[in-house]
Amino acid sequence: MERRSTILLGEANEDDVLFFECALRECGKEYDMHVVRSGTAAIDYLQRACRGGDVPGYPVPKFVIMDSYTRHISGSDVLRWISENRIYEVVPTVILSGTDHPSEVKLAFHLGAHGYFVKPLGKTQLTELLKVIFNYWAQSSVPPVKEYQVTAEGEPAMLKTERG
């Protein structure tokens, strides 16, 4: 049986998490959603997922949606971390923000964001935007994350070598 794809959602606002879940149900998409409440937790999740999905409870996400203002470290800091850890460069990452200030949008794309959206204020509008995002990435082809071998904590992951 094929495992369902996972969305990694970085969102601290409980109401917004409920809107995400509602939009996912309305889309009829077969995703598991892993919610993290801080940028630090997002990085922790990705570090575990980089092991090729071998860590139970941490499958490699199909895509990542991050609020630009997460606890502890910002969505931009998570993007910066992703850009420094090239394992994740093929995992689509979308930023949701309360603002479309040009410098923030530019920084997000400079750091490798694949999309930047301003969060609408109303439940219906947010649900509709999320459905567009979910449908887009559900139809998009994304190359697989490379498999890396487990290293000691704090050390960068290394590519697995093929044995000939």
Side-chain angles (χ1 to χ4, degrees), residues 42-115:
I43 289 171
D44 179 65
Y45 181 97
L46 291 170
Q47 285 176 319
R48 293 169 192 256
C50 82
R51 298 179 179 169
D54 293 336
V55 179
Y58 295 89
V60 175
K62 168 96 171 158
F63 60 95
V64 177
I65 300 177
M66 289 293 302
D67 188 320
S68 61
Y69 298 104
T70 57
R71 288 185 269 206
H72 306 293
I73 63 173
S74 70
S76 292
D77 289 330
V78 173
L79 284 173
R80 185 172 286 108
W81 184 88
I82 289 171
S83 72
E84 293 168 356
N85 292 271
R86 297 188 51 124
I87 299 167
Y88 309 100
E89 68 186 355
V90 298
V91 177
T93 304
V94 174
I95 296 292
L96 285 178
S97 179
T99 178
D100 64 351
H101 194 276
S103 64
E104 286 190 33
V105 176
K106 182 178 179 181
L107 176 62
F109 277 96
H110 175 75
L111 293 172
H114 298 93

